Amino acid sequence: MLLSRILNMRLITHNMLTSHVKGVTNGYPLIIEATEVEEKEVDFNPEFISRMMSRIEWPALVKAMEWIGKKDCLPEEPIENCEKDNDFLQKAHHALMEIEVITGSLKCPESGRKFPISNGIPNMLLNEDEV
Amino acid sequence: MTSKRRPEHQAPPEIFYNEEEAMKYTTNSRMIEIQSEMSERAIELLNLPEGTPCLILDVGCGSGLSGECLTEHGHEWFGMDISAAMLNVAREREIDGDVVLADAGQGVSFRPGTFDGVISISALQWLCNADKKYHKPQKRLYTFFSTLYASMKNGSRAVFQIYPENPQQLELITTQSVRAGFGGGVVVDYPNSTKAKKIFLCLFCGNQTPTLPQGLGTGESSQHVKYTQERSQNSFHKRQSIKKSRDWIAEKKERRKRQGKSVRPNTKYTGRKRKTHF
Ligand SMILES: C[S@@+](CC[C@H](N)C(=O)[O-])C[C@H]1O[C@@H](n2cnc3c(N)ncnc32)[C@H](O)[C@@H]1O
């Protein structure tokens, strides 16, 4: 059975998202300032997580976990052949798919611009002078 | 849309798609059906590897009807939309994707090589309008396409179902997509039916073996693409049957079968007009 979830920003999204403010050259990773975080159980799809491993910026995921106060849930570095290691994939799954930021903001590391998150949805709209 | 003015002429998208309009995406069954049908077709045109869970971007994801189709196919997806009201409907629908409030014309702010594919249903034509004094459609389209290109995996596709107002608008869109590095072409379903006719812009990212019209891979780089208004012989499928006709139903059943869904067997009654009962 598929578990249903209300869409909130998960860390997989955070891992892929960058700041696109005009003039910013290194807008990654966005700094998470969370005031409300939730955990939800999501079906584990090892094949999907395994496919994502080459796309995931691991240090950013470790940082993200640290920012929301769950520092010790992840190994500092991905282990060798992590794509095939079920234990490892399960941990990655938990961090990427089961932790949601409901309220807070994402701060551009270069410009300091804050993108607010409310109702689980990050607001990435730019002002006229930021495009 | 014959008697009514085009939505893009009425208000900017974040205003037009207000709560009232957004509600239609949960209550108007005809609208839901059309949106889902077009989403299915767009996913088919994406030509994703069979049975592999992919990460897809849905541009103008709105209420999440198109996203639901992606979920049904076993994919994960991110959505972006400029209307908070539409995203709120998506929230209420308990959808399985992550969404961001964002304006496609300001660019796609996802890291390079993130997506295995991109779909967009009835959204892109909105970028052809200048809704703010400082909006330049050409520039907004280019910003969108170039950042989208970067966010896609080499070899992946982006499929846009669009309602261009006129041929010039279609050209404006395709020109900017080519400038951004995309190859590809336009696929028209049911070109001879005013009602069922649907236009899909299919874009290829990176150097790919062409499956769509001339141009791609014919010695020149993939940036040199001829866009054709009609579907050419090389396009993936030839579907020209009139909607709701016997052939159309048979094709649809065939497609659903391929997707592993259950369908009723064809009989001599298939596609026949039914008597109206009271
Ligand atoms: C016809 S609706 C598509 C609905 C969607 N496929 C669904 O399943 O509900 C078009 C959507 O495009 C969005 N849109 C229009 N202009 C946009 C822009 N510049 N950036 C992002 N989304 C936009 C609108 O807010 C609207 O939700």
Side-chain angles (χ1 to χ4, degrees):
Chain A
M1 198 200 77
L2 277 175
L3 299 166
S4 247
R5 48 177 287 272
I6 309 254
L7 75 182
N8 290 313
M9 190 195 76
R10 293 174 290 186
L11 295 190
I12 187 174
T13 303
H14 168 261
N15 203 268
M16 309 290 188
L17 212 50
T18 68
S19 159
H20 57 322
V21 176
K22 184 179 165 184
V24 166
T25 50
N26 194 3
Y28 185 84
L30 292 160
I31 299 159
I32 304 177
E33 301 174 333
T35 50
E36 195 185 348
V37 175
E38 267 178 27
E39 281 188 42
K40 278 197 198 113
E41 199 184 322
V42 173
D43 289 339
F44 177 41
N45 182 343
E47 196 190 350
F48 175 73
I49 301 296
S50 171
R51 280 201 77 217
M52 288 304 116
M53 281 317 296
S54 60
R55 273 173 244 191
I56 296 297
E57 198 56 53
W58 194 263
L61 185 60
V62 173
K63 268 256 174 316
M65 290 294 269
E66 198 180 314
W67 285 323
I68 56 169
K70 299 187 195 299
K71 188 172 190 282
D72 299 320
C73 299
L74 283 183
E76 280 298 317
E77 272 165 43
I79 55 169
E80 219 170 295
N81 283 326
C82 61
E83 279 92 350
K84 297 191 191 81
D85 187 306
N86 208 56
D87 268 3
F88 182 89
L89 292 179
Q90 201 118 35
K91 283 194 183 121
H93 164 78
H94 174 66
L96 290 167
M97 314 295 277
E98 299 193 317
I99 295 172
E100 305 183 335
V101 182
I102 319 286
T103 326
S105 61
L106 299 170
K107 193 167 101 182
C108 169
E110 195 175 307
S111 64
R113 159 72 140 95
K114 284 188 186 178
F115 299 97
I117 306 172
S118 63
N119 287 324
I121 302 177
N123 178 344
M124 301 304 288
L125 293 171
L126 300 173
N127 301 323
E128 177 181 355
D129 57 353
E130 295 174 317
V131 197
Chain B
M1 219 168 296
T2 36
S3 56
K4 252 210 274 41
R5 277 199 303 152
R6 294 179 64 88
E8 305 94 85
H9 292 179
Q10 294 175 33
E14 66 275 24
I15 310 287
F16 177 82
Y17 289 100
N18 55 14
E19 263 140 56
E20 190 190 328
E21 185 65 23
M23 268 306 285
K24 294 188 192 161
Y25 286 76
T26 48
T27 53
N28 184 329
S29 58
R30 170 110 188 98
M31 205 142 153
I32 294 173
E33 189 191 325
I34 295 177
Q35 285 284 315
S36 307
E37 235 166 57
M38 296 190 298
S39 307
E40 284 294 332
R41 176 70 172 132
I43 295 169
E44 183 178 42
L45 288 169
L46 274 186
N47 202 24
L48 295 165
E50 198 71 32
T52 311
C54 293
L55 184 61
I56 310 293
L57 175 68
D58 185 348
V59 179
C61 63
S63 68
L65 288 167
S66 34
E68 256 175 1
C69 295
L70 287 166
T71 304
E72 277 172 28
H73 284 265
H75 303 305
E76 292 287 334
W77 59 276
F78 294 166
M80 56 189 283
D81 201 288
I82 199 171
S83 156
M86 288 294 276
L87 293 181
N88 281 336
V89 169
R91 261 184 82 77
E92 277 155 31
R93 188 176 273 151
E94 301 207 344
I95 240 77
D96 266 291
D98 281 22
V99 299
V100 297
L101 184 64
D103 175 2
Q106 297 182 339
V108 175
S109 55
F110 287 100
R111 271 181 33 224
T114 296
F115 299 109
D116 296 299
V118 177
I119 63 164
S120 173
I121 308 298
S122 325
L124 198 57
Q125 69 275 357
W126 282 97
L127 285 190
C128 296
N129 285 63
D131 290 318
K132 303 246 160 62
K133 255 208 305 269
Y134 57 90
H135 276 184
K136 293 195 188 72
Q138 211 168 335
K139 178 153 178 278
R140 280 167 57 76
L141 279 163
Y142 179 71
T143 303
F144 169 65
F145 281 126
S146 52
T147 51
L148 180 76
Y149 190 96
S151 78
M152 292 167 65
K153 278 211 118 36
N154 204 326
S156 63
R157 294 180 182 187
V159 177
F160 301 84
Q161 181 277 322
I162 43 178
Y163 289 118
E165 196 176 331
N166 47 42
Q168 291 86 319
Q169 220 177 54
L170 187 59
E171 185 162 329
L172 172 70
I173 295 173
T174 55
T175 305
Q176 296 311 314
S177 73
V178 172
R179 256 190 82 203
F182 280 109
V186 174
V187 172
V188 182
D189 282 358
Y190 318 109
N192 301 320
S193 157
T194 37
K195 261 200 155 161
K197 180 174 170 179
K198 290 281 153 7
I199 299 177
F200 293 88
L201 175 65
C202 300
L203 300 180
F204 303 140
C205 171
N207 284 317
Q208 298 189 47
T209 345
T211 348
L212 210 71
Q214 326 95 327
L216 220 122
T218 55
E220 305 197 46
S221 78
S222 61
Q223 316 195 353
H224 268 239
V225 180
K226 265 227 184 78
Y227 283 97
T228 50
Q229 293 272 77
E230 298 300 322
R231 308 182 74 182
S232 85
Q233 313 94 310
N234 299 335
S235 54
F236 327 120
H237 300 275
K238 263 203 186 160
R239 184 165 296 105
Q240 270 157 353
S241 345
I242 303 296
K243 211 164 175 190
K244 305 285 181 212
S245 70
R246 209 188 138 87
D247 283 352
W248 181 84
I249 292 171
E251 277 168 21
K252 180 155 183 198
K253 283 186 172 174
E254 206 34 61
R255 193 146 33 113
R256 293 182 72 84
K257 250 193 255 165
R258 265 188 276 131
Q259 292 166 356
K261 294 181 180 148
S262 65
V263 295
R264 307 256 290 279
N266 285 323
T267 67
K268 62 177 176 172
Y269 299 110
T270 304
R272 273 220 202 150
K273 270 244 161 64
R274 275 160 224 264
K275 277 210 200 101
T276 31
H277 290 284
F278 295 100

